Amino acid sequence: MSEDRRLIEDFIPIKEISVESAREKSIRKGHISTLHLWWARRPLVACRAAVFASLVAAPENHQKRSAYKKQMIELCQWKAGEDTLKKARKAIAEAQKKRLGLPEDTKLEDVPPPKVLDMFAGGGAIPLEALRLGCETYAVDLNPVAHIIELCTLVYPQKYGKKLADEVETWGNWVIERVRAEIGDLYPNIKVGESLEKKQEQMELLEQKQTQLGLSFRKELTPVAYLWTRTVKCPNPACGADVPLVRQSWLCKKNKKYVALKVISNHQTKRVEFEVVEATTAKDLGFDPSSGSSRGTSTCRHCGTTVDVKQIKKEGKVGQVDQQLMAIVCTTPGQQGKTYLSATDYLQYIPDEKAILERLEKLCDETGLTTPDEPLPPIGTLGFRVQAYGLLQWKDLFSPRQLLSLMTFVKWVRKAHDELLAQGYDEEFAKAIATYLALMINRVADRASTLCRYDPTPTQSGINNTFGRQALPMVWDFGEGCPIGNSSGSASTSLPWITNFIRQENQNSNFANVQRSSSMSMAIETNSLDAVITDPPYFDSVPYADLSDFFYVWLKRSVGHLYPQHFTAKLTPKKKEAIMEPTRHGGDKKAASAAYEGMMHDAFKEANRILKIDGIMAVVYAHKTTSGWSTLIDSLRRAGFVITEAWPLDTEMGARLRGQNSAALASSIFLISRKRTTSEIGDYAMDVQPQLREIIQSRVKTLMEEGISGADLVIACVGAGLRAYTQFDSVELPNGEELDANTFLNEVQKEVAETILREVLGCDSKGVSQIDKITQYYILARYEYGEAEVAFDEANTLAKGVGVELDGAGGLTDGKTALVQKTKNKVQLRNYTDRGSDEKLGTFDPKETLTPASLIDILHRLLWLAEHKPAKISDYIAIAQPDSSQLRLVAQALSGRALTPNAGEEMTAQRTPEQQAIDTLLASWKRTIEENLFTQKK
């Protein structure tokens, strides 16, 4: 292993970079995320930190470390100034000059830049930052959609500069104008009050209704959203009415303006109708707009028959799930605010579906194209739920009007490319322009499927995108935007996001070497790279290829002919995609796991081949389960890498979907590794365990000083402890058997648990051992997960590390005073309010059990008594007879203040009810506990 220690192996300012990484998620203009959706893309500042710290040398002293800290904090801002970037490039060049052994008088501009590879480049965040820092950058990905995004991120802006953004803007508007002229009639303006063949009394009622809503009669409005619900026939043979599956009927929810649709049954037509109701409070509406279908189960509004999901799936498979328009959301030209119209009164403004399909067929005949008839992934594929309802091809995710609109955009993008060539544009430049226009179509498609929800809240009002998360769940009521209008999600609003990104990145003339190939076999010279910095697929987290097919089918139709080597296949390649997906292995999870591990091992072997002997690899990892970790670790070790360090960086917004009320890991872990230069076999007792303890003890203290706590602290310490294991080709136990990665992780978990307990409890190993195992588990679980609900497997791993049973008879989830509550595959700690009322809690009866009461049981009972029956504390202490010093250690540990001695008002305000109760008890500890205990003993 190289002696050339890098900054990332020594120190990085975790807290400061984490704050900026999390903040970056809310930045929009010019950001890479606004060019095109890609799942699980890392924040740019975190990528910048990884690249910079991987290429500069570790500081020789505290003064140098302080200077580096200041430089990295300045560098890792979303818009770091050019002077800051130049300073970073200079530091990288100086380190590279020294590594290459170049003469002292060599000018920095003559130093060959370091070669950096991202072998799972995806959306291109890591290589984009490598380019920004002056590196010779390589980006590899097997996925054609990712490859196109990378070209538009890492090559075209840098290669063509400002003129590219100008041309994309010009030709994007050229396309929009022609599409608008061709299909403008599909989205007509609405003249309020105009109706076809309505009787006079109906017209008068309509005029009265619109006057109540504050509308001027016969005013022309512009539709910005159409709200639909899926419907099925009522299974009651005596009824047969259309049953709307609408989940909720909110149109607007903001202060003093609450608008929703009231569902009214029309027993003559056997269909429901929708009435717009507005009030100043939600209660004044007179009905609950949220009382619609739940998980697909709905109720017939005519006869009360329940329609469950099984029935809906049955109807879907035979094509009997229909859709009904509920409302139209409009704007008034030159005015602010929205107008909400009931579709019941304006159905004449919705084009006939049969006529749309005829136009669509004509367009396909004219262009030689087809609508996206490629199949969706097999039922059971991670994240996909729509196939069970009869949506089996990608075109099934779009309504006929949406399909005609998108196909018309495809037609005119292709014509734009033809026109570019006809006007004499350079062929490659014309190709680049057309490719961005294709990305515009993809942005529109993401907001133009029947899986888009309508959001009525003020901050998000409008049509959400198809991919609210990395999955395609079924949506019962969906919103349809106007792709040729000026509202969010339209082509005209999508285009500036694209051109803003190009202008943001076109100042750097250094472009990347972008390759579409498998990471297991790359066309890169052996021993040629200075660093591999990559964000690989995480076991079973994201089915990138299956998700990206949504965009692949549109790219193939718009610019696939310009990239024939990438778009000849029906869909994106799956066989060599490194994820754990059982559907690709006949449903066999073990086979899928083995395939993932094998592919990751082959990819890391390839990384080992192309890295220089002193090269460094940083692997971004965010998977939290033991199975995911052990797979990655074993793949790295067997590929010849030693893991030298691990750093957690918080890369997520606090309000993200998985972050709310969950213990999901807030950080990405950067695992740092080097090529192993020896082939030794290690002895666990003699070589590994002592080093492991030293690493863990040092890392726990370092990270606590940096403010890292909870699950992030544990995972980062586990990652750092891997150095002791991965430095050997294999590790033998005293009995001669080989120590596998999973077993080693359990040993690391135990060591981390004990070390954290020593820090939390403020005592040595002997003091920790005097605290019973159940209480140890409770302290660690509170420290790691707080009050959150977590996966059983995750909590069980922690329990094993401590040495207690979580499940089964006598386990922590067993009995009425169970310490842990289990619900399906989730668990959550119970606090003193849940358990403390039991009179026997914390008491010890040798006739009933041989196990003394745990300290946490005694503490919970005392907290409850202090709150509800303080007069009985003395009697209880006489029975429980706790060790006062040990009990106080536990109370102080659970109060949390030992970990944050400088806690201010913010922390005090965030304290849980249990911590507040402990604070009260600790404040009166001598009088409440010690004096009572002394009296009883006396």
Side-chain angles (χ1 to χ4, degrees):
M1 194 171 68
S2 173
E3 296 299 321
D4 170 32
R5 190 165 169 79
R6 308 287 172 86
L7 177 60
I8 203 166
E9 296 172 301
D10 178 83
F11 165 82
I12 56 175
I14 296 172
K15 287 190 294 186
E16 292 83 357
I17 297 172
S18 293
V19 168
E20 189 66 15
S21 293
R23 190 182 77 84
E24 187 188 314
K25 292 282 186 174
S26 62
I27 292 171
R28 305 297 292 161
K29 187 175 180 180
H31 193 268
I32 187 175
S33 62
T34 64
L35 178 67
H36 193 287
L37 173 66
W38 192 257
W39 304 269
R41 187 192 267 124
R42 297 301 116 196
L44 295 180
V45 293
C47 299
R48 194 179 307 160
V51 174
F52 178 78
S54 295
L55 297 175
V56 298
E60 303 93 0
N61 51 51
H62 179 73
Q63 184 179 3
K64 185 71 172 177
R65 182 178 285 110
S66 297
Y68 264 144
K69 180 177 181 178
K70 182 180 179 182
Q71 183 176 2
M72 285 198 71
I73 292 171
E74 292 175 354
L75 177 65
C76 295
Q77 303 289 319
W78 153 235
K79 282 200 173 182
E82 184 57 29
D83 289 343
T84 300
L85 291 169
K86 283 181 179 178
K87 185 179 176 182
R89 295 183 199 117
K90 180 182 178 183
I92 290 172
E94 287 173 342
Q96 182 74 350
K97 174 181 172 181
K98 187 174 181 180
R99 272 194 296 273
L100 296 175
L102 298 177
E104 194 64 34
D105 60 352
T106 304
K107 294 180 180 179
L108 290 183
E109 56 265 31
D110 295 330
V111 175
K115 297 180 179 180
V116 177
L117 163 71
D118 183 354
M119 59 199 296
F120 297 99
I126 293 172
L128 182 62
E129 290 307 314
L131 284 178
R132 201 185 311 282
L133 292 174
C135 303
E136 183 178 325
T137 305
Y138 296 78
V140 172
D141 204 291
L142 181 63
N143 191 295
V145 177
H147 182 71
I148 296 298
I149 295 172
E150 288 157 20
L151 287 173
C152 292
T153 303
L154 310 170
V155 178
Y156 293 151
Q158 297 81 1
K159 188 174 182 179
Y160 295 114
K162 181 182 180 299
K163 65 176 181 178
L164 176 61
D166 296 339
E167 294 289 355
V168 169
E169 184 175 28
T170 298
W171 286 95
N173 287 320
W174 186 92
V175 168
I176 292 168
E177 288 170 8
R178 281 151 182 78
V179 172
R180 191 176 286 151
E182 184 165 331
I183 62 169
D185 61 309
L186 297 181
Y187 305 92
N189 281 351
I190 295 175
K191 292 181 180 179
V192 179
E194 184 177 271
S195 182
L196 299 179
E197 301 179 2
K198 281 188 176 287
K199 296 180 181 179
Q200 183 63 34
E201 59 268 23
Q202 290 176 309
M203 290 290 288
E204 290 173 358
L205 286 172
L206 182 60
E207 182 172 4
Q208 182 181 1
K209 185 188 300 184
Q210 287 156 186
T211 302
Q212 291 171 351
L213 291 173
L215 305 178
S216 61
F217 202 55
R218 298 192 182 278
K219 179 181 290 185
E220 189 163 290
L221 304 177
T222 302
V224 294
Y226 303 81
L227 276 59
W228 299 82
T229 176
R230 300 186 199 271
T231 65
V232 294
K233 293 293 182 183
C234 176
N236 179 0
C239 179
D242 284 348
V243 180
L245 304 179
V246 58
R247 179 179 52 88
Q248 59 88 26
S249 63
W250 280 108
L251 296 172
C252 177
K253 285 197 288 186
K254 64 181 182 181
N255 187 32
K256 295 185 179 181
K257 185 174 183 179
Y258 292 84
V259 188
L261 291 168
K262 186 176 182 180
V263 184
I264 302 169
S265 301
N266 187 324
H267 293 279
Q268 290 183 326
T269 63
K270 291 289 186 177
R271 287 171 67 87
V272 297
E273 296 178 350
F274 299 94
E275 178 185 354
V276 176
V277 180
E278 182 175 341
T280 55
T281 69
K283 185 178 180 180
D284 289 340
L285 288 172
F287 63 97
D288 182 6
S290 301
S291 62
S293 63
S294 176
R295 297 182 179 274
T297 298
S298 192
T299 303
C300 178
R301 305 284 179 141
H302 292 81
C303 71
T305 299
T306 298
V307 182
D308 61 18
V309 171
K310 289 183 180 179
Q311 176 68 22
I312 298 170
K313 289 179 179 179
K314 181 180 177 182
E315 295 294 309
K317 288 176 182 176
V318 293
Q320 295 302 311
V321 174
D322 205 347
Q323 56 197 41
Q324 178 181 348
L325 186 65
M326 299 187 293
I328 306 172
V329 182
C330 302
T331 57
T332 303
Q335 297 182 19
Q336 291 185 334
K338 292 184 174 67
T339 300
Y340 304 93
L341 305 176
S342 166
T344 304
D345 300 322
Y346 295 95
L347 289 176
Q348 73 270 20
Y349 285 94
I350 306 304
D352 178 64
E353 188 172 297
K354 183 180 178 182
I356 290 176
L357 292 173
E358 288 175 354
R359 285 172 65 173
L360 186 58
E361 184 178 1
K362 182 179 178 182
L363 184 149
C364 290
D365 289 341
E366 173 194 336
T367 60
L369 298 170
T370 62
T371 53
D373 53 2
E374 295 87 349
L376 281 158
I379 291 177
T381 298
L382 179 68
F384 284 78
R385 299 289 183 270
V386 299
Q387 301 93 319
Y389 300 93
L391 307 181
L392 302 177
Q393 297 178 329
W394 285 101
K395 67 178 181 181
D396 296 337
L397 304 187
F398 305 90
S399 69
R401 179 162 63 171
Q402 289 171 332
L403 279 175
L404 179 56
S405 299
L406 290 168
M407 290 297 292
T408 305
F409 272 105
V410 168
K411 165 187 167 181
W412 283 103
V413 166
R414 292 171 69 101
K415 284 183 176 292
H417 180 256
D418 292 342
E419 184 64 23
L420 283 163
L421 295 180
Q423 291 187 19
Y425 280 68
D426 173 76
E427 188 173 330
E428 285 300 308
F429 188 42
K431 181 178 177 180
I433 296 169
T435 305
Y436 285 104
L437 302 184
L439 296 193
M440 180 179 72
I441 295 176
N442 278 6
R443 285 187 58 97
V444 172
D446 189 27
R447 293 287 191 95
S449 79
T450 60
L451 300 182
C452 296
R453 298 185 186 276
Y454 175 79
D455 191 332
T457 58
T459 54
Q460 299 291 330
S461 182
I463 308 298
N464 288 341
N465 62 334
T466 300
F467 293 97
R469 55 193 177 95
Q470 50 218 33
L472 286 178
M474 192 59 176
V475 173
W476 303 114
D477 45 284
F478 62 92
E480 178 189 12
C482 179
I484 57 172
N486 296 308
S487 57
S488 180
S490 66
S492 62
T493 58
S494 295
L495 185 59
W497 292 116
I498 294 171
T499 54
N500 284 338
F501 171 78
I502 299 171
R503 291 188 173 102
Q504 172 72 29
E505 299 300 335
N506 64 20
Q507 298 172 19
N508 182 6
S509 60
N510 179 27
F511 56 89
N513 182 323
V514 175
Q515 301 178 13
R516 191 177 83 81
S517 69
S518 168
S519 58
M520 293 174 272
S521 178
M522 295 178 282
I524 299 175
E525 187 180 345
T526 300
N527 297 329
S528 63
L529 296 182
D530 295 277
V532 173
I533 303 171
T534 193
D535 182 10
Y538 305 139
F539 199 53
D540 59 354
S541 295
V542 184
Y544 295 95
D546 291 307
L547 292 172
S548 66
D549 283 338
F550 178 94
F551 298 115
Y552 179 89
V553 297
W554 293 112
L555 284 175
K556 183 167 70 170
R557 285 161 174 78
S558 57
V559 292
H561 60 296
L562 304 181
Y563 301 91
Q565 69 275 38
H566 305 311
F567 289 93
T568 53
K570 185 178 284 290
L571 292 166
T572 59
K574 312 288 191 306
K575 287 183 179 180
K576 291 186 177 181
E577 185 191 26
I579 66 166
M580 202 289 280
E581 178 50 75
T583 58
R584 299 177 192 173
H585 301 273
D588 188 333
K589 289 186 178 180
K590 287 186 177 180
S593 181
Y596 170 80
E597 184 171 351
M599 284 188 277
M600 290 304 296
H601 172 61
D602 289 343
F604 290 144
K605 275 202 311 183
E606 183 70 349
N608 193 301
R609 177 187 70 80
I610 59 185
L611 264 179
K612 293 178 179 178
I613 195 68
D614 62 347
I616 192 167
M617 181 158 75
V619 177
V620 185
Y621 200 65
H623 201 285
K624 202 175 177 183
T625 66
T626 304
S627 56
W629 268 90
S630 60
T631 298
L632 180 77
I633 291 157
D634 205 45
S635 298
L636 280 166
R637 184 184 62 81
R638 292 190 298 114
F641 283 101
V642 180
I643 296 172
T644 60
E645 271 299 346
W647 300 101
L649 289 178
D650 190 339
T651 58
E652 302 298 332
M653 292 173 66
R656 75 198 192 282
L657 184 64
R658 290 185 65 245
Q660 296 170 1
N661 302 316
S662 82
L665 188 67
S667 299
S668 297
I669 303 295
F670 284 78
L671 281 175
I672 316 305
S673 59
R674 296 288 199 135
K675 295 172 76 166
R676 189 167 56 245
T677 55
T678 63
S679 55
E680 297 178 24
I681 297 175
D683 181 281
Y684 180 69
M686 299 294 292
D687 304 320
V688 177
Q689 194 173 42
Q691 188 178 355
L692 172 64
R693 286 175 177 163
E694 183 181 343
I695 292 170
I696 295 302
Q697 289 170 17
S698 171
R699 179 43 54 90
V700 168
K701 290 180 180 179
T702 301
L703 291 180
M704 280 186 168
E705 288 172 0
E706 283 293 312
I708 307 301
S709 62
D712 291 339
L713 173 65
V714 174
I715 294 297
C717 289
V718 169
L722 295 171
R723 185 196 319 159
Y725 174 67
T726 57
Q727 66 182 315
F728 299 104
D729 258 0
S730 63
V731 175
E732 289 186 352
L733 294 166
N735 61 7
E737 292 183 1
E738 183 177 349
L739 177 68
D740 62 76
N742 200 45
T743 303
F744 178 72
L745 280 172
N746 290 335
E747 292 299 312
V748 178
Q749 182 92 337
K750 290 177 185 178
E751 193 65 40
V752 171
E754 184 176 328
T755 305
I756 292 175
L757 281 169
R758 287 201 301 269
E759 293 293 325
V760 173
L761 291 166
C763 60
D764 57 17
S765 296
K766 184 179 179 181
V768 171
S769 67
Q770 291 174 348
I771 306 296
D772 62 274
K773 296 290 186 182
I774 292 174
T775 303
Q776 288 183 24
Y777 175 79
Y778 188 84
I779 293 170
L780 281 172
R782 274 282 180 239
Y783 181 68
E784 284 201 41
Y785 313 130
E787 296 188 313
E789 191 178 53
V790 298
F792 173 82
D793 289 344
E794 187 178 323
N796 197 39
T797 299
L798 180 61
K800 289 178 179 178
V802 176
V804 295
E805 291 294 329
L806 194 59
D807 212 7
L812 301 187
T813 59
D814 186 36
K816 66 177 182 179
T817 59
L819 192 65
V820 179
Q821 178 179 320
K822 183 181 179 184
T823 307
K824 294 185 179 180
N825 64 338
K826 298 280 188 179
V827 297
Q828 189 173 25
L829 290 178
R830 301 176 73 208
N831 64 21
Y832 78 99
T833 60
D834 302 321
R835 311 174 67 235
S837 61
D838 191 286
E839 293 182 357
K840 291 187 176 181
L841 187 70
T843 60
F844 173 55
D845 187 347
K847 296 178 181 179
E848 295 183 7
T849 177
L850 298 176
T851 307
S854 69
L855 289 169
I856 190 58
D857 286 352
I858 296 173
L859 181 61
H860 275 174
R861 177 63 177 162
L862 282 170
L863 291 172
W864 190 89
L865 287 172
E867 190 171 297
H868 298 283
K869 298 180 180 180
K872 290 195 173 185
I873 288 179
S874 179
D875 293 339
Y876 177 71
I877 288 177
I879 298 170
Q881 287 292 309
D883 182 300
S884 175
S885 60
Q886 291 178 9
L887 186 63
R888 186 166 187 170
L889 270 179
V890 172
Q892 288 173 331
L894 290 171
S895 78
R897 293 191 183 276
L899 301 176
T900 51
N902 299 317
E905 294 180 4
E906 184 179 348
M907 170 157 180
T908 301
Q910 294 175 346
R911 296 179 69 70
T912 66
E914 182 165 288
Q915 287 176 319
Q916 292 174 26
I918 292 173
D919 289 343
T920 302
L921 183 63
L922 286 171
S924 61
W925 188 266
K926 185 175 181 180
R927 174 176 51 82
T928 306
I929 307 298
E930 291 181 356
E931 290 182 3
N932 272 311
L933 196 58
F934 176 77
T935 301
Q936 297 299 335
K937 287 180 178 179
K938 189 174 180 180

